[in-house]
Amino acid sequence: MSLKALSSKDAASLDKDLMETGGFSLDQLMELAGLSVSQAVYRIHPPSAGKNILVLCGPGNNGGDGLVAARHLAHFGYNPTIYYPKEGKNELYQRLKTQLHNLSIPILNDTHDLPEAIKTSHLLVDAIFGFSFGGPLRDPFPEIISQMEAASIPVLSVDAPSSWDIESGPPREGPGAKFMPEALISLTAPKPCVKFYRGRHFVGGRFLTRGIAEKYGLDVPNYQGVDQVLEVGVDAEGRL
């Protein structure tokens, strides 16, 4: 099937529609997105391949998706660790942190902790920046992106590889210029930068209604059974 890419502006508008006319709350959408991320991890890296998962979270909703994913990963039998150098401050993120603390999931925030955390992990989840990112990178993220880019273990990026412009793809130079994660999960629909991506690609976030899909000219992915993710391919035009 063919899945159209969704611009940053339309992605924000679609989320607003889901909440204002669809009856969803932000934490419901984040819960379903994080569950999708955790299922994508399970698809590409089952616990038998190594249980230590490092989830790198940014301060916004993409980071919140990572926090939710880590909780599900713990219940799936993994040993997740959160790297959260710039935390979201509102009450939702604080509740997500409490849920992680109650499962004894470590939360790191010192830049000096990152090299060792990467060294002892089997997979990285890049949940730093999502569809609203437009650059430039600000501290502490250039160094974080560089370390993730240089990691010798697989990376799964959430919605877009962090440091990539949602429309124009990877930066021409500096941190992220050579960042090509092994896997990507696009939430709701792929973003335009997907045409620059080469790797395993999933779509997730199983909350798209027919009415909203028609408004934005999107196809509802053909999810199977209880799956929250669907693996898809990418053609030369960035369509799936």
Side-chain angles (χ1 to χ4, degrees):
M1 68 183 301
S2 180
L3 298 178
K4 189 181 82 170
L6 189 66
S7 70
S8 177
K9 180 180 178 180
D10 281 349
S13 178
L14 186 151
D15 278 357
K16 184 178 179 181
D17 283 344
L18 283 170
M19 289 185 279
E20 290 187 354
T21 64
F24 285 94
S25 63
L26 176 59
D27 33 352
Q28 278 184 298
L29 296 176
M30 197 171 287
E31 183 68 26
L32 290 168
L35 177 59
S36 298
V37 173
S38 66
Q39 287 200 0
V41 170
Y42 199 93
R43 289 281 193 90
I44 66 171
H45 190 89
S48 59
K51 295 183 178 182
N52 295 341
I53 309 296
L54 180 62
V55 185
L56 296 93
C57 296
N61 290 347
N62 200 253
D65 296 340
L67 298 177
V68 172
R71 169 163 43 80
H72 287 291
L73 289 170
H75 289 302
F76 291 172
Y78 293 93
N79 300 318
T81 295
I82 298 291
Y83 182 68
Y84 203 16
K86 190 174 180 181
E87 299 184 3
K89 299 301 183 182
N90 69 30
E91 185 259 349
L92 170 56
Y93 299 118
Q94 297 306 308
R95 286 192 285 110
L96 294 176
K97 281 182 59 183
T98 296
Q99 294 165 10
L100 298 175
H101 284 306
N102 290 339
L103 289 170
S104 300
I105 296 173
I107 300 178
L108 312 175
N109 50 39
D110 193 313
T111 54
H112 296 98
D113 293 331
L114 184 56
E116 183 63 24
I118 291 175
K119 184 178 178 181
T120 57
S121 298
H122 301 114
L123 177 99
L124 305 182
V125 175
D126 161 27
I128 300 175
F129 298 122
F131 66 75
S132 61
F133 177 76
L137 289 170
R138 296 182 176 86
D139 288 336
F141 295 106
E143 177 60 24
I144 294 169
I145 299 294
S146 292
Q147 291 193 45
M148 186 168 57
E149 185 176 30
S152 59
I153 57 176
V155 179
L156 167 70
S157 286
V158 178
D159 219 23
S162 290
S163 78
W164 284 31
D165 184 272
I166 295 304
E167 300 292 332
S168 59
R172 293 185 177 182
E173 59 184 10
K178 297 181 180 179
F179 183 38
M180 185 65 67
E182 282 73 14
L184 169 69
I185 176 168
S186 296
L187 297 174
T188 308
K191 310 308 179 290
C193 64
V194 75
K195 65 185 177 182
F196 299 97
Y197 178 68
R198 302 293 178 266
R200 294 185 69 178
H201 187 196
F202 297 83
V203 64
R206 198 171 179 178
F207 37 61
L208 195 60
T209 65
R210 291 287 178 185
I212 291 177
E214 289 173 2
K215 177 178 178 178
Y216 292 92
L218 301 174
D219 294 306
V220 178
N222 187 26
Y223 296 106
Q224 300 297 302
V226 298
D227 290 348
Q228 300 296 309
V229 295
L230 177 69
E231 187 165 7
V232 291
V234 182
D235 67 19
E237 301 301 319
R239 291 180 66 88
L240 302 172

